[in-house]
Amino acid sequence: MKGKVTSFDIAHLAGVSQSTVSRALRGSPLVNEETRRRIQAAVDELNYKVDKNASGLRAKHTGTLALLLFEDPTADESHINPFFLSMLGSITRASAQRGYDLLISFQQFSRDWHADYADSKKADGIILLGYGDYLATRDKLQKLVDQGTRCVRWGAVLPDQPDVSVGCDNVSGGREVTAHLLAQGCQRIAFLGDASSHYPEFFDRYRGYARALNDAGLDAEPLLQVNAESTEQSGHNAAETLIARGVAFDAVFAASDLIAIGAMRALAAHGLNVPDDVALAGFDDIPAASFVNPPLTTVLQDTQLAGEILVDNLLALIRGEPAESAMLPAKLIVRKSSRARNE
């Protein structure tokens, strides 16, 4: 056969009308299974390329996944938390390896994104990155699940969550960081980060911090904790608040690298040297963590594995198979910002 194969060629070979082929390609229930098999055999024989935007004969899906990336205030006006850039790459790669296109959409928290994507049929399922205040978002997640939208989320694994999530063992990571700071001789360790149910990942890191202190016979003092969101400015402001309280501290555990970098600037402005006067550690291991001066001790989250599991879990939901939330291990990365002077 010369030229591009068309749906008319498929219809002729299968012995059906072109409109029947068209309905079969859209996955219409009006086409019975016997006819559908004949059309599929003709498709295979003629090597017909089905339009990915049409519902396939077998899958009846768009062949597209949607990644909803939520904006964050950032110093460079990108509004993308740099931690999510490596996650974005791993999700894109994992989707392509599994034969799916990835639709990336930048969202604002204030928008009705849950309704937009549940009703638009733009993609077979949704991956959420950076959902912000969990308590404010939970109802939207519940609505997505209730209306049958397949969705997975990067974030804390919680007992009452409505959706499937993939996250880091934040409690273990927080405990490791704090134990490391204690091992450097630090006794009064401050925590910068929102330690509440609104930000469960930060709260889990705080729980790990408190456990490590308890293991060492110390208490988590309220005056040594200051709320902060994951931005440099918020970290700077939190460190200023901590210093203004006049309470003694010899180390700072920041709930994210961005908070830690902002805190580093505030400490320097007050003549406090890192790590000689104050040891400092963050969480996430963003690229900037190894380039600040001094390089930042932090916790590595395996973004490559996370991206693969997010995609695989979403594809399982799309196929109607069960998918379970997963918690990935955290790995402490020790750099100069937390090392004792004699190390």
Side-chain angles (χ1 to χ4, degrees):
M1 182 175 292
K2 295 181 179 180
K4 183 179 179 180
V5 177
T6 70
S7 59
F8 289 97
D9 299 319
I10 301 301
H12 177 75
L13 184 59
V16 298
S17 67
Q18 190 275 340
S19 59
T20 299
V21 172
S22 180
R23 281 194 291 270
L25 294 178
R26 293 197 305 270
S28 170
L30 298 176
V31 181
N32 64 47
E33 284 304 313
E34 181 183 349
T35 302
R36 193 184 305 278
R37 281 194 293 270
R38 293 211 315 273
I39 293 172
Q40 182 61 56
V43 166
D44 293 341
E45 181 176 338
L46 297 179
N47 196 27
Y48 179 66
K49 303 300 183 183
V50 181
D51 186 344
K52 289 187 70 175
N53 292 321
S55 295
L57 285 169
R58 298 185 182 93
K60 301 182 184 179
H61 297 310
T62 66
T64 300
L65 306 178
L67 173 62
L68 271 57
L69 185 63
F70 291 85
E71 70 172 16
D72 271 324
T74 55
D76 63 359
E77 300 298 324
S78 69
H79 297 281
I80 299 177
N81 185 330
F83 169 73
F84 290 129
L85 294 177
S86 59
M87 186 80 78
L88 175 61
S90 66
I91 292 171
T92 303
R93 184 166 50 251
S95 299
Q97 289 173 345
R98 289 150 180 79
Y100 275 76
D101 291 329
L102 187 68
L103 173 64
I104 301 172
S105 180
F106 196 51
Q107 298 288 320
Q108 295 181 334
F109 294 120
S110 58
R111 288 186 55 192
D112 290 330
W113 50 266
H114 60 299
D116 293 344
Y117 273 79
D119 299 336
S120 67
K121 311 299 183 187
K122 294 177 182 176
D124 299 328
I126 301 172
I127 298 172
L128 301 173
L129 290 184
Y131 52 86
D133 185 330
Y134 174 75
L135 295 185
T137 305
R138 192 186 185 286
D139 286 345
K140 294 182 177 182
L141 295 173
Q142 186 67 61
K143 288 177 182 177
L144 282 176
V145 173
D146 289 345
Q147 53 201 13
T149 304
R150 293 92 160 189
C151 65
V152 296
R153 167 178 55 87
W154 167 260
V157 178
L158 303 170
D160 62 343
Q161 66 188 43
D163 58 339
V164 174
S165 65
V166 177
C168 172
D169 189 345
N170 292 292
V171 174
S172 175
R175 196 171 186 172
E176 272 199 77
V177 169
T178 309
H180 163 71
L181 293 171
L182 289 166
Q184 305 308 299
C186 302
Q187 291 288 300
R188 299 188 57 77
I189 303 170
F191 181 89
L192 306 185
D194 192 320
S196 76
S197 298
H198 290 273
Y199 295 88
E201 290 159 294
F202 283 9
F203 201 7
D204 278 349
R205 292 168 196 177
Y206 178 80
R207 288 190 178 102
Y209 154 85
R211 287 184 190 178
L213 291 177
N214 185 257
D215 291 343
L218 302 172
D219 293 325
E221 298 182 28
L223 286 177
L224 288 177
Q225 187 271 324
V226 184
N227 282 348
E229 297 178 359
S230 193
T231 68
E232 289 185 32
Q233 187 60 54
S234 186
H236 183 278
N237 294 345
E240 289 283 355
T241 298
L242 177 66
I243 293 167
R245 287 177 179 175
V247 60
F249 63 95
D250 54 13
V252 170
F253 171 26
S256 78
D257 290 346
L258 290 178
I259 294 173
I261 292 169
M264 187 182 291
R265 289 193 293 110
L267 293 170
H270 286 268
L272 296 171
N273 179 269
V274 175
D276 293 341
D277 299 319
V278 179
L280 178 64
F283 206 106
D284 289 337
D285 197 26
I286 62 174
S290 60
F291 293 108
V292 293
N293 186 24
L296 184 65
T297 290
T298 185
V299 173
L300 171 68
Q301 304 185 74
D302 192 337
T303 55
Q304 179 176 342
L305 180 59
E308 293 175 358
I309 295 177
L310 282 166
V311 171
D312 286 341
N313 274 353
L314 183 55
L315 294 181
L317 293 175
I318 291 169
R319 293 191 299 265
E321 300 170 359
E324 294 184 356
S325 295
M327 189 180 294
L328 307 183
K331 180 181 179 182
L332 178 66
I333 305 295
V334 176
R335 299 190 180 106
K336 189 177 178 181
S337 73
S338 67
R339 287 197 173 110
R341 184 180 301 182
N342 59 358
E343 275 206 350

